Amino acid sequence: MFDISMLKKSGTFSVSEGPPRLALVHHGFRTTQLGAADKRQDKFAARYASLGLLNLARSAQVDAERGLIPFKPHIKYFDEDNYSGDAELATAISEWLRPASARFVLISLYSLAFERTRSMVSLMDPEEFCIMVGGAHPTVAPEIDFAHLVVRGEGGGALRHTLSTFLKPDFGEGEEARGICFVRDGKVTMGATVFDKSLASIPSPAFAYELIQDDTTLAGESRERWWKAVGESQQIYICTQSCRARCTFCSTYLIHGKLVSRPVELIEGDIRYLLQFGNDSIQFHDDDLLQHESLDELLEMLSNYNILWTCNARSEVMNANLAARMYRAGCRKVFLGLESMDQRSLDYYNKATTVEMNINAVTVLDAAGIGVVCGYIIGAPHDTITSILDDLDRVLKLPIFFLATAILTPDIGTTEYKRALRRIPLLQELGDGGTKMNIRPRPDLFGASAPYGLPTVAEAVTKDQLNELYAMVNCEFILRPELLERVHRYVYPTRLNEALSWCSLQRQRVRELATGATIPEVRQRAKRLSQFIENRGLLSEYEMRDSA
């Protein structure tokens, strides 16, 4: 980390001489595993604002109104989508910040974009600007060498403390400073992960959506992937924090702690606020919306508004009655964390679900008229080529609208990472001994294919083979006659060409697999699928969209 004394020695940085400026920087989110698997998929990636940054902005606004910080800060949101490159982005940030005496750059740091963000930040002068990073990656690996301040966990208290005391003798002291990591005069202070319940109490709106509404902010035009999108103008939102589950591949509870639910009356205030910007649909990005502690009241409230929405959910609580109530309340798509139809894998992931629960959840949601998008993971340690293809055959029997496939990733800090660390000695090279706080992906060691810069953990299937199987799963799921019917049923009309373009891409990929797959079983299945498409006359339906 940068020593914060360099800012003090410059003599030009002070939180006592007027309103600070906060540049909220959304950078690196577009660096996705979609592109890591196949660059042709990049155009199908999602684009939306950082709720974490918008919540921090709102927290600072409320703190100023309550007199908890000395000045009301000037805040501007910067999204990489609005700039031709990182040099232009860094220049815009620097020029906007300079008039203030306290100049803060707040960045949500993503593991996949670590090196990209480091390069972008290097274009800004650390003696002029205070670089403050937070998010999932810094929480579990906080030794970030291109930042002055690293915040672990929730950042509202840390920002409040910083805006009041930065560079003063009492900076870093007290309860609100617990989550801050920094270096001062060569002395390192490493904060702890901090959880708070501010989502349950912050006045509506919980997120400063007004910051992304100006004409030049593309993030104001939130764009979900076609298979999850509903409505014409959607916006993302959360009303619960963390997750009640403890899946081995997930780090959300490490960052947010125990479940926190926002009261329904405050959620209603947030929705009314969103509606004034012309949004007609909501993407609930909660890890599991159905964990809300007042779910019945929430669904009743949502049914009073003429808005469509989507959410993430788990299968064990789903039944026909709940699915019907969700549909009546405006739900049109659900991302279901199915993950596998093999009980061995569900148990290994600590999903606390069964194959029967998965089948029931998909069936009742589809019957209610809700498009089911299923998360699906391949590459558990016990997986083989045969077991993966057998599991795919079980999945293909379900009435699923879209299958969001992923290769099991030992994400830093998770149980899966700790398991892999014991089995894969090379993981020690990700940081100091693989156990310290400066871990980050290493594509130079583990390659750039999915999972980016990290190893896979399947014992009998290589990383290259898993990526080949990943491609086959996508192709075989998409290139079925019944999928086209679901596309026309569930895809919003303005996104139909994009959906069919995705189908066309899978048609290209299955041709490539039919001739170039290294796994014999994949090559044979790809040949059969390719022939089936031609025999059924589906070829033109897909390929007419190649240029969409």
Side-chain angles (χ1 to χ4, degrees):
M1 289 175 283
F2 295 130
D3 196 313
I4 64 173
S5 297
M6 70 169 61
L7 289 165
K8 186 173 184 178
K9 292 174 181 177
S10 72
T12 63
F13 197 106
S14 172
V15 296
S16 304
E17 297 179 12
R21 288 200 172 193
L22 311 181
L24 310 182
V25 183
H26 197 199
H27 183 266
F29 178 72
R30 315 315 166 216
T31 309
T32 68
Q33 289 286 16
L34 276 179
D38 187 332
K39 287 297 182 185
R40 292 172 293 184
Q41 298 185 127
D42 273 342
K43 68 177 182 178
F44 299 99
R47 186 189 74 212
Y48 36 75
S50 166
L51 284 181
L53 291 175
L54 296 184
N55 179 250
L56 276 182
R58 180 61 180 148
S59 295
Q61 293 169 351
V62 171
D63 288 344
E65 293 166 3
R66 294 173 174 174
L68 299 178
I69 54 178
F71 302 102
K72 181 180 180 179
H74 298 293
I75 306 174
K76 186 174 176 62
Y77 187 91
F78 293 84
D79 194 291
E80 63 183 337
D81 272 354
N82 296 318
Y83 301 90
S84 61
D86 285 348
E88 184 181 347
L89 171 61
T91 297
I93 294 168
S94 301
E95 290 179 351
W96 181 79
L97 286 172
R98 283 198 176 101
S101 58
R103 303 168 294 276
F104 293 95
V105 181
L106 278 60
I107 305 174
S108 288
L109 180 61
Y110 300 95
S111 295
L112 284 175
F114 188 95
E115 296 302 330
R116 277 195 59 218
T117 300
R118 179 212 293 271
S119 178
M120 188 272 291
V121 169
S122 71
L123 302 175
M124 291 180 280
D125 186 353
E127 295 187 1
E128 186 178 5
F129 310 110
C130 178
I131 312 298
M132 190 173 185
V133 302
H137 183 96
T139 294
V140 298
E143 289 187 3
I144 310 297
D145 58 5
F146 54 83
H148 298 88
L149 305 176
V150 178
V151 178
R152 306 183 71 187
E154 305 299 331
L159 182 59
R160 184 182 310 120
H161 177 77
T162 300
L163 294 179
S164 300
T165 66
F166 189 58
L167 300 183
K168 296 179 180 179
D170 57 343
F171 176 71
E173 299 177 2
E175 181 68 17
E176 290 185 338
R178 285 193 308 115
I180 305 175
C181 306
F182 63 97
V183 178
R184 177 166 50 193
D185 296 325
K187 181 183 177 182
V188 178
T189 298
M190 296 302 295
T193 302
V194 172
F195 309 128
D196 69 34
K197 298 185 177 182
S198 61
L199 185 67
S201 59
I202 189 169
S204 295
F207 307 95
Y209 290 110
E210 74 279 359
L211 295 175
I212 59 171
Q213 299 303 320
D214 64 83
D215 292 340
T216 62
T217 302
L218 295 177
E221 303 171 7
S222 176
R223 186 174 177 83
E224 184 53 278
R225 289 157 291 188
W226 65 264
W227 53 88
K228 289 185 72 176
V230 295
E232 182 70 29
S233 174
Q234 56 269 325
Q235 191 52 268
I236 61 170
Y237 176 74
I238 63 168
C239 59
T240 63
Q241 192 168 275
S242 196
C243 183
R244 59 189 169 184
R246 294 294 181 265
C247 301
T248 62
F249 50 79
C250 185
S251 62
T252 188
Y253 64 91
L254 301 175
I255 302 159
H256 300 295
K258 295 181 179 179
L259 172 65
V260 176
S261 295
R262 186 161 173 79
V264 173
E265 61 270 20
L266 293 179
I267 298 173
E268 185 168 16
D270 296 341
I271 289 175
R272 288 176 174 170
Y273 182 78
L274 274 179
L275 291 178
Q276 73 177 350
F277 298 118
N279 298 118
D280 66 353
S281 53
I282 295 174
Q283 313 284 333
F284 282 100
H285 274 233
D286 308 67
D287 290 281
D288 174 13
L289 181 66
L290 305 187
Q291 70 186 338
H292 194 286
E293 293 158 316
S294 300
L295 179 62
D296 291 341
E297 185 183 351
L298 174 61
L299 292 177
E300 183 178 352
M301 182 273 291
L302 288 170
S303 67
N304 295 328
Y305 290 84
N306 186 29
I307 52 174
L308 303 178
W309 52 273
T310 70
C311 70
N312 303 321
R314 287 173 53 84
S315 64
E316 72 269 22
V317 300
M318 190 57 62
N319 56 55
N321 178 57
L322 176 56
R325 288 165 55 214
M326 291 169 66
Y327 184 89
R328 289 195 297 270
C331 180
R332 293 298 179 267
K333 290 196 181 86
V334 165
F335 184 96
L336 193 68
L338 182 147
E339 320 307 3
S340 178
M341 291 293 287
D342 183 339
Q343 193 62 49
R344 292 178 305 166
S345 296
L346 295 177
D347 293 341
Y348 177 79
Y349 300 145
N350 194 36
K351 285 295 296 184
T353 58
T354 64
V355 170
E356 291 72 22
M357 289 175 181
N358 284 340
I359 294 172
N360 173 73
V362 173
T363 303
V364 298
L365 284 167
D366 178 71
I370 296 173
V372 186
V373 179
C374 282
Y376 182 62
I377 299 174
I378 63 173
H382 54 265
D383 271 343
T384 64
I385 291 171
T386 299
S387 73
I388 290 171
L389 294 174
D390 287 347
D391 196 41
L392 171 62
D393 289 335
R394 291 188 287 269
V395 170
L396 293 176
K397 297 176 182 178
L398 297 176
I400 297 170
F401 162 60
F402 190 85
L403 194 66
T405 309
I407 297 170
L408 180 60
T409 304
D411 278 338
I412 295 165
T414 63
T415 297
E416 207 56 59
Y417 175 80
K418 295 174 183 176
R419 287 171 168 172
L421 188 62
R422 293 193 293 266
R423 294 176 41 242
I424 305 173
L426 195 56
L427 268 176
Q428 303 285 338
E429 301 299 322
L430 293 186
D432 296 328
T435 60
K436 300 296 183 180
M437 296 185 178
N438 64 345
I439 304 165
R440 72 273 328 249
R442 290 283 303 274
D444 56 321
L445 292 178
F446 297 109
S449 59
Y452 178 83
L454 292 169
T456 49
V457 299
E459 296 178 0
V461 192
T462 68
K463 186 172 184 174
D464 287 342
Q465 289 175 324
L466 282 170
N467 276 271
E468 198 168 278
L469 287 161
Y470 166 91
M472 189 67 233
V473 168
N474 284 340
C475 292
E476 196 143 9
F477 180 83
I478 287 291
L479 300 178
R480 299 175 298 153
E482 59 265 37
L483 193 281
L484 280 176
E485 186 276 329
R486 289 195 178 97
V487 164
H488 287 283
R489 187 198 317 172
Y490 290 121
V491 174
Y492 201 75
T494 57
R495 307 294 295 276
L496 184 58
N497 278 352
E498 187 180 353
L500 293 174
S501 180
W502 175 269
C503 294
S504 176
L505 173 58
Q506 306 317 309
R507 177 64 184 119
Q508 295 174 42
R509 297 176 84 193
V510 81
R511 285 172 170 161
E512 295 163 1
L513 291 170
T515 58
T518 62
I519 302 172
E521 297 93 327
V522 169
R523 192 166 59 251
Q524 292 164 8
R525 288 175 77 118
K527 287 179 179 178
R528 287 198 300 268
L529 180 56
S530 188
Q531 188 63 51
F532 173 79
I533 291 170
E534 294 181 16
N535 291 343
R536 290 290 296 267
L538 298 174
L539 196 61
S540 60
E541 181 78 34
Y542 297 128
E543 297 193 335
M544 66 184 289
R545 307 291 177 169
D546 275 348
S547 60

